[in-house]
Amino acid sequence: MDRRILVTASLFGAIAVMLGAFGAHGLKNVLDAGSIEIWTKGVEYQFYHTFALLFLAQFKGREAAQGKFVNLAYVFLHLAYCFFPGRCICSQHEVLQTLAL
C-alpha cells in the first residue's frame, strides 16, 4: 500500500464527513432545497473519490509499470476531487456568505 495515497484518502474522507455534517446540520436553515441537493451531490462525489483512492492504494508497489499508472491515476483523482465536488460546494454563494460572517 502507498502511504501517500492512504493519507490523502483519509484527509479527503475527513473533509467529506465534516462538509456533510455541516450541510446537514448547519445549512438546513440557510439554503433552499435545490441548493442542499447540490451540496449533497458534491459531498457524495467526495466520498466516491475517497473510496477510489483507497482502492487505488491497494495496487501501489506490485510492479514498476503498474506504479506509474497508479501515480497517474492518483494525480487525476486528486484533480477531479478538487474540481468537481469543490465546484458543487463552492457554487453555493449563500454558504460562502455565511462562512464570511
Side-chain angles (χ1 to χ4, degrees):
M1 284 199 200
D2 187 346
R3 183 176 171 86
R4 174 185 59 147
I5 296 175
L6 285 175
V7 168
T8 303
S10 299
L11 289 173
F12 285 177
I15 291 169
V17 169
M18 287 186 280
L19 288 174
F22 178 66
H25 302 289
L27 297 178
K28 61 183 171 187
N29 297 328
V30 177
L31 299 178
D32 62 352
S35 296
I36 290 287
E37 187 176 331
I38 293 171
W39 182 276
T40 303
K41 186 57 74 176
V43 171
E44 182 181 329
Y45 275 98
Q46 284 183 316
F47 278 113
Y48 292 153
H49 284 93
T50 299
F51 294 140
L53 282 172
L54 289 172
F55 181 72
L56 188 65
Q58 302 296 317
F59 294 106
K60 183 68 176 190
R62 296 185 187 209
E63 294 179 18
Q66 195 176 30
K68 291 179 184 179
F69 173 74
V70 169
N71 286 335
L72 187 63
Y74 170 76
V75 168
F76 283 125
L77 277 170
H78 198 290
L79 290 173
Y81 179 90
C82 294
F83 286 120
F84 182 71
R87 187 182 179 288
C88 287
I89 290 171
C90 289
S91 70
Q92 306 307 312
H93 301 293
E94 297 91 356
V95 174
L96 298 176
Q97 290 171 353
T98 303
L99 294 176
L101 299 176

